[in-house]
Amino acid sequence: CFWKKINIKIIDNFLNKEYFDKISKLRLKETGKKEIKVYHNSIFDKEVINSECIEPSFLVELNQKYHSIAISLLKELNKDKVELYDYSEFHIIETGSECSFPIHDDTPNKLLSGVIYLNPKENSGTHFYDSKQGKDKRTISWKQNRAVFFSRIEKETWHSYCGDGKNNRVALVYNLMTNRIKKVFKVEKKLFLLGYFRYKINPILYRFFKITI
């Protein structure tokens, strides 16, 4: 679907049943209703960079199974970024039932941003907007094993997510990543210095003041 400047791919039943069941049943630490916990899992080819909750051998298997699919999606959404690929993330994020992540456009090191909804059966999906102020909100509804992919663009791919007020929200975040930030801004035809400043300062501002620029 195409919403203004955001091209979004929605794929139901993205993971095969075996993988979906295995990831959905991962044992995670208790997350409070006002907390967000991120479990980092990163890999390049068969080299595991870190593995916080997914076993390294399974992480390798997961990457081998879905890497070509993710690259094909990136080719479709932003083919000029494919050559910048350096590694993949398979993070598990649990969002408390009364917690929300603010409207943001994703960091420039994310070439392809993806989320696969895991648990519970019903929750809140992903919200997309035409502006940082939340203009024209549209929501990709929650459905277990539904994947939502897009390729970020500086100050254009605005989105947010939150718990539904009843149950915690658990998702697999599957990203194709790069270390070549300057080249990302060249592809996007955006100013590198300004964008790089936002990339570095936003986590600090959010941590201390819960605001973003």
Side-chain angles (χ1 to χ4, degrees):
C1 57
F2 182 79
W3 291 339
K4 198 177 179 181
K5 297 179 181 178
I6 309 179
N7 196 3
I8 303 167
K9 294 293 293 185
I10 303 170
I11 306 172
D12 286 344
N13 300 312
F14 180 76
L15 300 170
N16 67 31
K17 187 179 185 304
E18 177 189 354
Y19 289 176
F20 177 79
D21 288 345
K22 188 170 184 176
I23 296 171
S24 296
K25 294 176 182 177
L26 288 171
R27 291 188 176 183
L28 306 176
K29 296 178 182 178
E30 185 176 349
T31 300
K33 61 184 180 181
K34 296 184 182 295
E35 291 183 297
I36 294 179
K37 286 188 179 178
V38 182
Y39 299 83
H40 298 86
N41 306 279
S42 305
I43 186 171
F44 172 71
D45 195 13
K46 296 182 180 181
E47 180 184 350
V48 175
I49 301 169
N50 57 22
S51 177
E52 290 188 353
C53 70
I54 298 177
E55 294 178 1
S57 59
F58 182 51
L59 190 58
V60 170
E61 188 178 337
L62 198 62
N63 189 54
Q64 289 180 319
K65 176 74 174 179
Y66 292 100
H67 180 70
S68 62
I69 296 173
I71 289 292
S72 294
L73 287 167
L74 182 57
K75 284 180 180 178
E76 181 179 350
L77 294 170
N78 198 330
K79 61 183 177 58
D80 293 332
K81 287 187 176 181
V82 173
E83 65 180 17
L84 302 180
Y85 170 77
D86 287 319
Y87 64 100
S88 298
E89 292 180 341
F90 290 89
H91 295 346
I92 302 294
I93 298 182
E94 181 166 359
T95 304
S97 60
E98 297 180 10
C99 192
S100 62
F101 199 88
I103 298 174
H104 61 291
D105 56 349
D106 269 3
T107 51
N109 57 340
K110 295 182 181 180
L111 303 173
L112 180 72
S113 298
V115 59
I116 298 95
Y117 303 144
L118 298 177
N119 290 311
K121 185 175 182 180
E122 296 180 359
N123 212 281
S124 174
T126 307
H127 312 299
F128 289 88
Y129 312 86
D130 284 346
S131 72
K132 182 180 174 297
Q133 290 71 38
K135 180 181 178 182
D136 294 331
K137 175 182 175 181
R138 287 86 104 192
T139 299
I140 305 295
S141 60
W142 180 276
K143 181 181 179 181
Q144 285 183 300
N145 207 13
R146 168 173 287 169
V148 180
F149 287 97
F150 64 95
S151 182
R152 64 85 67 185
I153 300 175
E154 183 76 0
K155 290 191 173 183
E156 293 184 19
T157 46
W158 301 110
H159 62 287
S160 69
Y161 60 90
C162 59
D164 66 354
K166 300 177 182 178
N167 299 295
N168 286 5
R169 175 190 194 273
V170 183
L172 169 66
V173 171
Y174 180 18
N175 300 323
L176 298 185
M177 307 293 292
T178 188
N179 296 315
R180 291 166 279 180
I181 305 298
K182 191 171 185 177
K183 291 186 177 181
V184 168
F185 286 99
K186 185 176 180 180
V187 169
E188 294 182 358
K189 296 180 172 60
K190 303 288 185 177
L191 294 175
F192 168 68
L193 291 178
L194 180 58
Y196 189 74
F197 174 76
R198 289 183 70 236
Y199 170 51
K200 290 298 184 180
I201 200 68
N202 265 339
I204 299 172
L205 292 176
Y206 179 71
R207 188 179 304 118
F208 291 102
F209 305 105
K210 293 191 176 180
I211 60 173
T212 56
I213 59 174

